[in-house]
């Protein structure tokens, strides 16, 4: 559209979807579900469960993406294989009250305070029905609750920021028309997870990249990278979800994972001809990782991570 003549454009394109649109982000939410489970002591990385492939919850069927059972497996495989049944199991161990408290503490239903106009808040409305286990189970893998992209990356940023969330900003100060410059306050980070819990899940997400993402071909020989993909169904206007191959893909990651300098959130709506986010966003993420580490001359950390002194 012509910014000097808005009447020539579609009103839907005028806004900023990063702060004005809500999305169900899918399996990248499993990273926060797992951290909640570890932080509450409900699970440890060594905890195992029996993955049955599908389960019935409140007369609704929840299944892994391929409907396949894995048997008795540890927590790492919930992230490495992106298992919905596993995330649901962790949510059950955490319990409704604690899960809702953690998700709210991560700011999933509040504005972030970023210096952009027209920001809206996400919604955890599905978690206000304490008797419906299925709502907590689906929330554990990023369906049924909706966040703005800025809300989502702020929450995920806790994993890279020793368990704390921050107030995001695009600028450091605002210069008013009268010439006065007003610095923006970053505020005090809000501690949500214990630093040790965030570090534990960071190691699990490094394992996802090193062994599972592109079957291990995504592993960076010089840098540790923590990342997770997400493939979600898209809510239909009349309720429920669109049938068929209509998806929302997401991908987040941070690096160097042992001392993060960057966190990236990518998403694409209704990608064509592919089903999973690993097929659409992995290459873009890896290209960005390569560019940023080189452009900013970030020292490699892989050797220190694999051979700690």
């Amino acid at each position: 559209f012509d910014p000097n003549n808005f009447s020539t454009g579609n009103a839907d394109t005028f806004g900023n979807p990063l702060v004005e649109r809500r999305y169900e982000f899918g399996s990248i939410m499993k990273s926060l579900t797992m951290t909640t489970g570890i932080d509450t002591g409900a699970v440890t990385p060594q905890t195992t469960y029996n993955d049955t492939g599908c389960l019935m919850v409140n007369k609704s069927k929840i299944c892994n993406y391929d409907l396949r059972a894995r048997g008795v497996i540890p927590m790492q495989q919930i992230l490495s294989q992106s298992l919905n049944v596993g995330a649901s199991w962790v949510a059950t161990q955490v319990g409704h009250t604690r899960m809702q408290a953690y998700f709210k503490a991560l700011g999933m239903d509040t504005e972030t305070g970023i210096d952009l106009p027209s920001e809206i808040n996400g919604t955890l409305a599905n978690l206000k029905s304490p008797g419906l286990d299925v709502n907590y189970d689906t929330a554990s893998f990023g369906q049924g609750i909706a966040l703005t992209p800025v809300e989502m990356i702020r929450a995920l940023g806790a994993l890279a920021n020793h368990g704390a969330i921050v107030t995001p900003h695009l600028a450091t100060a605002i210069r008013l028309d009268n010439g006065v410059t007003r610095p923006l306050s970053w505020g005090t980070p809000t501690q949500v997870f214990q630093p040790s819990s965030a570090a534990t899940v960071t190691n699990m997400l490094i394992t996802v990249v090193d062994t599972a993402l592109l079957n291990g071909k995504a592993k960076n020989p010089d840098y540790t990278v923590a990342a997770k993909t997400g493939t979600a169904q898209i809510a239909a206007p009349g309720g429920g979800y669109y049938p068929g191959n209509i998806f929302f893909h997401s991908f987040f990651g941070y690096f160097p994972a042992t001392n993060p300098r960057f966190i990236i959130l990518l998403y694409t709506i209704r990608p064509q001809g592919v089903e999973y986010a690993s097929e659409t966003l992995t290459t873009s993420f890896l290209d960005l990782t390569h560019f940023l580490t080189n452009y900013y001359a970030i020292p490699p950390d892989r050797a220190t991570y694999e051979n700690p002194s």
Side-chain angles (χ1 to χ4, degrees):
F1 63 90
D2 179 355
N4 294 308
N5 184 6
F6 279 81
S7 65
T8 64
N10 184 338
D12 289 340
T13 66
F14 297 157
N16 181 351
L18 298 180
V19 293
E20 297 179 37
R21 297 285 189 275
R22 302 184 186 98
Y23 305 103
E24 298 181 35
F25 275 91
S27 291
I28 60 175
M29 189 70 71
K30 290 171 184 167
S31 307
L32 297 173
T33 299
M34 183 63 69
T35 314
T36 300
I38 289 172
D39 205 61
T40 58
V43 300
T44 71
Q46 292 73 39
T47 299
T48 61
Y49 78 106
N50 182 25
D51 189 285
T52 56
C54 292
L55 70 160
M56 294 298 297
V57 184
N58 299 133
K59 299 181 180 181
S60 296
K61 195 172 187 178
I62 290 176
C63 293
N64 294 331
Y65 69 93
D66 57 2
L67 309 180
R68 188 167 63 86
R70 268 65 174 184
V72 178
I73 54 174
M75 295 295 99
Q76 177 65 52
Q77 294 307 311
I78 296 175
L79 298 179
S80 292
Q81 298 190 55
S82 201
L83 302 175
N84 292 345
V85 170
S88 301
W89 187 87
V90 173
T92 299
Q93 309 314 303
V94 170
H96 294 182
T97 301
R98 292 192 296 185
M99 184 172 171
Q100 183 173 170
Y102 270 85
F103 279 20
K104 289 180 72 68
L106 288 165
M108 293 186 186
D109 63 348
T110 60
E111 296 177 14
T112 66
I114 193 170
D115 41 311
L116 287 171
S118 306
E119 182 181 14
I120 65 172
N121 59 281
T123 176
L124 297 176
N126 270 11
L127 302 188
K128 294 180 180 179
S129 301
L132 290 179
D133 295 336
V134 67
N135 288 351
Y136 286 82
D137 285 34
T138 56
S140 73
F141 51 84
Q143 299 269 196
I145 58 175
L147 285 71
T148 67
V150 168
E151 268 185 310
M152 188 75 246
I153 198 169
R154 176 178 64 165
L156 292 167
L159 304 179
N161 197 39
H162 309 292
I165 61 171
V166 299
T167 301
H169 283 301
L170 295 179
T172 57
I174 296 174
R175 187 171 64 248
L176 305 178
D177 290 341
N178 61 10
V180 174
T181 298
R182 179 168 61 85
L184 292 172
S185 172
W186 293 91
T188 302
T190 301
Q191 197 73 36
V192 179
F193 301 121
Q194 300 175 70
S196 59
S197 302
T200 295
V201 174
T202 291
N203 287 331
M204 297 174 77
L205 293 174
I206 292 173
T207 299
V208 170
V209 175
D210 289 355
T211 65
L213 189 61
L214 299 183
N215 294 317
K217 295 178 182 179
K219 179 179 179 179
N220 189 309
D222 299 314
Y223 298 92
T224 57
V225 179
K228 180 75 183 76
T229 64
T231 301
Q233 293 178 284
I234 297 178
Y241 293 93
Y242 284 110
N245 297 323
I246 299 177
F247 298 108
F248 177 97
H249 287 181
S250 60
F251 193 119
F252 98 98
Y254 50 96
F255 55 93
T258 60
N259 184 26
R261 289 281 304 277
F262 298 96
I263 184 169
I264 294 173
L265 173 64
L266 305 174
Y267 68 90
T268 183
I269 304 170
R270 299 190 181 193
Q272 302 297 304
V274 291
E275 187 169 356
Y276 303 117
S278 59
E279 301 172 277
T280 55
L281 298 173
T282 299
T283 299
S284 298
F285 175 81
L286 295 178
D287 287 348
L288 287 167
T289 301
H290 178 76
F291 171 79
L292 289 169
T293 52
N294 280 278
Y295 185 84
Y296 288 97
I298 298 173
D301 71 331
R302 171 69 68 178
T304 303
Y305 174 74
E306 294 183 346
N307 302 287
S309 57

